[in-house]
Amino acid sequence: MSGVVKWFDPVKGFGFVVADTGGPDILLHVNVLRNFGQSSVADGARIELHAQETNRGVQATDVLAIQPPEGAQANALADIVGLDDSAVADVPLEPARVKWFDKAKGFGFANIFGRREDVFLHIEVLRQSGLSDLQPGEALAMRVIKGKRGEMAAEVQAWETVLTNQDGADD
């Protein structure tokens, strides 16, 4: 089934999805999300999942796909406003780990493997990518551009999602 993330709180470890077909909200537990390769998901993101009825209500059992919320571009950062989407897509995805991220502050930093410089991560870039929070040590794939104050992520994906997409790609 498919629907929209009503809300998800990574601190609490769960959230709810509203199904396109209606009915009761679907519980989305962080462990189900982690099995997909993410530790968070942005409110308003479109999600495809498998769910089952339990004695506690409807619960997600498998996440199949996540699409960023519509309109996420509206709050884009000044550094990436006006960038051609195809130009960003031409920047290679690079493996990285989250150094730290503070959702309340709206930013954090990651390290690209093999580089010393930190890469700036803004919460709006996460939202555009369908994420809402990151944990220290979390593996990512990022498209990095030169911003006004140094390197910054223009796109962020969960590392497991990139691996899954590459495994299914035709060569």
Side-chain angles (χ1 to χ4, degrees), residues 93-125:
L93 283 168
E94 298 186 74
R97 287 232 181 257
V98 176
K99 186 173 182 179
W100 64 268
F101 189 83
D102 187 326
K103 186 175 180 178
K105 290 181 180 178
F107 69 92
F109 291 90
N111 298 114
I112 300 289
F113 295 139
R115 291 198 207 165
R116 290 183 174 193
E117 311 84 34
D118 290 342
V119 176
F120 181 72
L121 290 166
H122 194 276
I123 196 160
E124 289 303 326
V125 173

Side-chain angles (χ1 to χ4, degrees), residues 4-159:
V4 175
V5 176
K6 185 175 187 177
W7 62 267
F8 186 85
D9 185 334
V11 174
K12 291 181 179 178
F14 69 92
F16 290 93
V17 174
V18 177
D20 291 342
T21 57
D25 289 351
I26 302 163
L27 175 68
L28 176 60
H29 194 272
V30 70
N31 288 337
V32 174
L33 199 52
R34 284 185 184 135
N35 288 339
F36 180 71
Q38 293 185 197
S39 62
S40 69
V41 63
D43 299 348
R46 294 227 26 97
I47 189 166
E48 292 180 38
L49 51 80
H50 289 140
Q52 70 180 20
E53 181 75 37
T54 71
N55 58 353
R56 295 179 147 200
V58 181
Q59 296 185 12
T61 58
D62 238 349
V63 173
L64 307 173
I66 297 175
Q67 296 173 336
E70 289 183 23
Q73 295 287 347
N75 295 321
L77 292 169
D79 285 351
I80 59 175
V81 167
L83 281 180
D84 182 6
D85 288 342
S86 62
V88 172
D90 287 342
V91 175
L93 283 168
E94 298 186 74
R97 287 232 181 257
V98 176
K99 186 173 182 179
W100 64 268
F101 189 83
D102 187 326
K103 186 175 180 178
K105 290 181 180 178
F107 69 92
F109 291 90
N111 298 114
I112 300 289
F113 295 139
R115 291 198 207 165
R116 290 183 174 193
E117 311 84 34
D118 290 342
V119 176
F120 181 72
L121 290 166
H122 194 276
I123 196 160
E124 289 303 326
V125 173
L126 292 188
R127 287 185 184 129
Q128 291 173 24
S129 302
L131 301 167
S132 67
D133 201 359
L134 298 171
Q135 302 303 314
E138 190 169 343
L140 301 173
M142 302 189 315
R143 297 187 198 278
V144 178
I145 63 169
K146 187 75 171 164
K148 292 176 183 168
R149 291 183 261 161
E151 291 193 323
M152 64 176 289
E155 182 183 340
V156 178
Q157 296 180 32
W159 184 249

